[in-house]
Amino acid sequence: MAEPQSADVPASGYLVVRASGAAAARAAILGGGGDPEGIQLLLRCPVPRAVAESGARLTFADATLHLLPAGVVLLTVAAAKLSISFAELRPLMFRPVEVDAPLRSLFASAVAHVLSAGPRLDPHGLAHHLLGLAELVLRSALRVELDRVDALASRRREALEYMRAHLGEQSLSADKIAEALYISRRRLYQLFDDGQGVSERLKGLRVERAKALLADPAKAGRGIAEIARDCGFTSAPHFSRTFRRATGRTPREFREQALRG
């Protein structure tokens, strides 16, 4: 079983969920692959000093509890024994996920008791206990993460709606959008952390609106400069350059082809 590398060790308050086993290794190397054999949970939490100094490892058929340096606990459970599928766990996989204080405290307490009393407990019952602990942590973290993703998606939709409603304003900027949504500029950029960013997204929306206006027969009498102003471009030349980079055609060429079609 692979031990965590230093880059995998979570910061305090964060959980890292990984896949383990031969199938996971093949998928990492070759891509694709089926479900992993095991699910690993890494979480930094306080443990009894005596246990932390000596280290500990408890191994069962379907679960392994291993105390790593710096108070990091590695709990590995058989993926097939979980009631949550690997597909459902994907939002948590291979990246730090914040865990709230009550769940961290519960996990730390359970681990401390298991490590101190484990050798004197029934192995079969203890394996079930660890599976249940993994289920609790995974389900709780997954719920919080899905709620966070839903909240981000909702705020992203609000930002896009505001952009579309104010595309004609040349002064529209990230600062103005953030102010309208009552969020910080940094938070706004976090909503669009897919590599495109706010300014590129805004530029893309303006080009899409321009394409719709240029292709509309009812707007055929409107000049290119007028359409540029309606879409928030500072000038007709700026509009033409931006439009051509995005579509490979000038606005006039695009209009002629669209109206002929």
Side-chain angles (χ1 to χ4, degrees):
M1 182 182 301
E3 297 292 350
Q5 302 301 313
S6 58
D8 297 326
V9 174
S12 180
Y14 286 82
L15 167 73
V16 172
V17 182
R18 308 186 313 175
S20 68
R26 285 195 299 271
I29 297 171
L30 305 174
D35 289 353
E37 297 163 18
I39 298 295
Q40 295 183 330
L41 294 77
L42 288 94
L43 186 65
R44 189 189 302 270
C45 63
V47 293
R49 181 182 298 241
V51 177
E53 291 174 352
S54 61
R57 186 185 188 107
L58 297 174
T59 303
F60 309 96
D62 298 320
T64 300
L65 183 63
H66 188 190
L67 179 62
L68 303 170
V72 175
V73 173
L74 170 62
L75 174 58
T76 304
V77 295
K81 295 293 183 177
L82 293 171
S83 65
I84 321 170
S85 70
F86 182 63
E88 292 172 306
L89 290 174
R90 285 191 187 279
L92 298 178
M93 301 302 294
F94 301 105
R95 63 185 186 80
V97 177
E98 190 169 7
V99 178
D100 60 18
L103 183 58
R104 293 201 309 271
S105 177
L106 185 149
F107 183 81
S109 177
V111 166
H113 281 90
V114 168
L115 289 176
S116 60
R120 298 185 296 277
L121 299 176
D122 175 71
H124 186 72
L126 194 52
H128 277 285
H129 177 66
L130 292 175
L131 282 168
L133 181 62
E135 284 263 359
L136 177 60
V137 173
L138 290 170
R139 284 183 175 275
S140 300
L142 182 60
R143 184 183 65 184
V144 171
E145 182 65 11
L146 291 178
D147 287 346
R148 186 190 72 82
V149 170
D150 285 345
L152 283 175
S154 177
R155 295 299 273 168
R156 189 182 298 116
R157 284 193 297 270
E158 291 177 15
L160 288 172
E161 288 170 4
Y162 184 85
M163 290 181 192
R164 292 189 180 100
H166 296 83
L167 278 180
E169 301 174 12
Q170 294 180 7
S171 61
L172 185 61
S173 65
D175 287 334
K176 191 169 185 179
I177 297 166
E179 182 180 355
L181 296 178
Y182 302 101
I183 59 177
S184 67
R185 179 187 175 97
R186 178 174 176 271
R187 178 62 170 164
L188 176 65
Y189 276 94
Q190 287 175 343
L191 299 180
F192 298 98
D193 62 353
D194 54 1
Q196 192 174 28
V198 177
S199 59
E200 286 301 311
R201 187 67 55 95
L202 186 56
K203 186 185 300 181
L205 290 174
R206 283 175 163 150
V207 169
E208 288 303 311
R209 174 171 289 186
K211 287 166 67 177
L213 293 175
L214 291 167
D216 187 351
K219 305 290 192 302
R222 301 181 68 184
I224 298 298
E226 187 179 0
I227 288 178
R229 284 195 302 273
D230 287 349
C231 296
F233 289 97
T234 55
S235 67
H238 175 226
F239 169 50
S240 294
R241 288 193 301 271
T242 303
F243 191 90
R244 185 166 192 169
R245 280 197 298 268
T247 67
R249 288 169 286 178
T250 66
R252 195 173 306 280
E253 291 168 345
F254 181 90
R255 167 181 269 176
E256 291 174 354
Q257 184 174 348
L259 294 181
R260 282 201 308 269

